[in-house]
Amino acid sequence: MSESGGGVAPPVVAWIERATATDRDTDTGMTTVLVESRIRGTVVGLDPAGAVVLSVGDPTAVISPRSTVKPMQAVGMLLAGLDAAFGSGAGAASRAAAVSGAGDPASGVGDPDCGDPDCGAASEWGGGIPSELLAIVSSSHSGEPEQLAAVRAVLAAAGHGEDALACPADLPIGRLAHERHLAAGGGPERLLMNCSGKHAGMIATCVAAGWPVAGYTDPAHPLQRRIRAVIEELTGATITATAVDGCGAPLFGIPLLGLARGMREIALAAAGPRSPRQRVAAAMRAFPALVGGPGRPDTELMLAAPWIIAKDGAEGVTVAATAAGYAVAVKIEDGSQRAAMPVLVTALRRIGALDPTPGPGAAVGLDAGRLDALAAPAVLGGGVPVGRLRPFLPSAS
């Protein structure tokens, strides 16, 4: 059996430590520690010019990016004509069904004759997908009521119900939503699966483009071929490995460096003219609570630093980028989630991406407390903090 990326283990990027003695040091609260876990991973950081300024491990090795590519998939859906499912009638119905904010009156149907590869900005007559629904298409949602309403709105615009979703039935991944659903006697549903927003967007794109909805997750389906081409364009990588994601959609293997570049391309468009890239970035920044959910790491990061767009994925992958052009991507080797966001925040700080700069969202300011909680989550003992997860970036360049 072969393994993409070779057999060289990446370096340790974090460890879990517990205090064995304490003193009055307010910075650490410890003098001796017991290191109980060491976590390996790969990290890459880009500066505003797109140059690699931080590299730990081998960021050119192909990884499974999981849900971190959903913003890129959303760009692909817009380019394939997603807006056309939200024409004047359907768009109005979708806005009425969504509960998470007003629609985007400037969005609409792209010009099919536009020569610009990013052409997909709305025409005034079309309506187009509202920003909050574009955010849910880009999401791994927690299953909160407003998120589920947004998924239903996308399906309604496509003229389909929940039975059209090809994702498996599941329970909400958000802790509170999960507990509420079980307490009400609920069970697994396709709508509750965290990828249902993406799947609803794929169905709506097929309807808009005149493609069959049946088989929309097949890698050979015209929708997936279009999405694959867009991911290759954004990442600058040729896809050589295609697997099946947890939700049943195609999973295209890309280098971690390509993931950082792809997210950077979307974030850079945030302040530019309207385009699919700009609209996805703007939707994520305007509706971070729809992209993840209460307490979710990517939502918390976007709330802490509003000039950032971020997306996490299963198996320890996470990525973030700013409108100024900084980007960081992280892959934890063993697939655990616990160190992914702390390492990401540490890398963002290292390259200067968290320094407020002029541009979209910068005037809102940085929520340092929220950011610190993401960067150094507490390790509990007896219900109280007795240690921490400490990120570490060895041999970083």
Side-chain angles (χ1 to χ4, degrees):
M1 182 176 69
S2 64
E3 179 183 32
S4 296
V8 178
V12 172
V13 293
W15 61 79
I16 307 291
E17 58 186 28
R18 291 180 184 265
T20 59
T22 60
D23 64 6
R24 296 172 184 255
D25 185 343
T26 57
D27 290 332
T28 65
M30 355 179 158
T31 53
T32 356
V33 298
L34 172 67
V35 177
E36 64 179 5
S37 299
R38 291 178 175 83
I39 303 166
R40 296 181 178 274
T42 305
V43 187
V44 64
L46 307 178
D47 69 8
V52 175
V53 290
L54 187 155
S55 180
V56 177
D58 180 10
T60 66
V62 173
I63 65 157
S64 164
R66 300 301 294 269
S67 288
T68 57
V69 295
K70 283 178 177 172
M72 296 186 227
Q73 290 171 314
V75 171
M77 291 182 225
L78 286 172
L79 288 169
L82 172 60
D83 279 324
F86 295 81
S88 56
S94 301
R95 285 169 170 79
V99 297
S100 53
D104 187 345
S107 61
V109 177
D111 176 2
D113 297 321
C114 177
D116 185 341
D118 255 349
C119 183
S123 62
E124 294 179 358
W125 55 266
I129 184 169
S131 292
E132 67 271 25
L133 300 191
L134 188 54
I136 206 68
V137 168
S138 307
S139 78
S140 298
H141 65 74
S142 291
E144 292 293 325
E146 62 273 17
Q147 295 174 320
L148 301 182
V151 178
R152 290 190 185 99
V154 177
L155 288 170
H160 282 271
E162 299 168 28
D163 57 348
L165 294 168
C167 55
D170 204 350
L171 294 170
I173 63 171
R175 182 179 63 84
L176 295 177
H178 185 100
E179 291 173 355
R180 287 195 304 266
H181 185 71
L182 292 181
E189 301 175 20
R190 290 182 181 184
L191 181 73
L192 300 176
M193 203 271 169
N194 73 90
C195 299
S196 65
K198 175 184 78 175
H199 280 255
M202 289 179 173
I203 291 168
T205 303
C206 289
V207 170
W211 295 326
V213 171
Y216 72 85
T217 60
D218 188 324
H221 191 283
L223 169 68
Q224 301 302 339
R225 294 202 305 268
R226 186 64 184 274
I227 287 174
R228 174 179 177 143
V230 169
I231 291 176
E232 288 185 327
E233 179 186 354
L234 288 168
T235 63
T238 299
I239 293 169
T240 58
T242 301
V244 180
D245 208 339
C247 66
L251 175 63
F252 302 119
I254 56 174
L256 191 69
L257 176 58
L259 176 60
R261 286 173 171 163
M263 195 67 152
R264 176 180 177 272
E265 288 296 319
I266 294 173
L268 275 173
R274 292 189 64 79
S275 70
R277 299 179 189 187
Q278 185 274 335
R279 292 171 62 194
V280 170
M284 293 177 69
R285 287 184 51 245
F287 299 97
L290 292 181
V291 175
R296 296 277 299 284
D298 47 6
T299 291
E300 287 295 302
L301 179 57
M302 289 188 282
L303 290 172
W307 55 91
I308 282 178
I309 58 171
K311 187 70 192 71
D312 62 9
E315 296 299 322
V317 188
T318 189
V319 63
T322 77
Y326 291 101
V328 169
V330 173
K331 165 61 182 171
I332 301 302
E333 183 189 28
D334 69 357
S336 64
Q337 300 295 109
R338 58 186 176 176
M341 183 55 69
V343 171
L344 181 81
V345 172
T346 299
L348 288 168
R349 282 174 164 162
R350 174 78 64 87
I351 67 175
L354 294 176
D355 300 331
T357 55
V364 179
L366 184 72
D367 186 335
R370 190 173 240 135
L371 197 66
D372 289 343
L374 288 172
V379 173
L380 303 181
V384 298
V386 296
R388 63 186 170 186
L389 188 154
R390 184 197 290 268
F392 175 65
L393 298 178
S395 305
S397 61

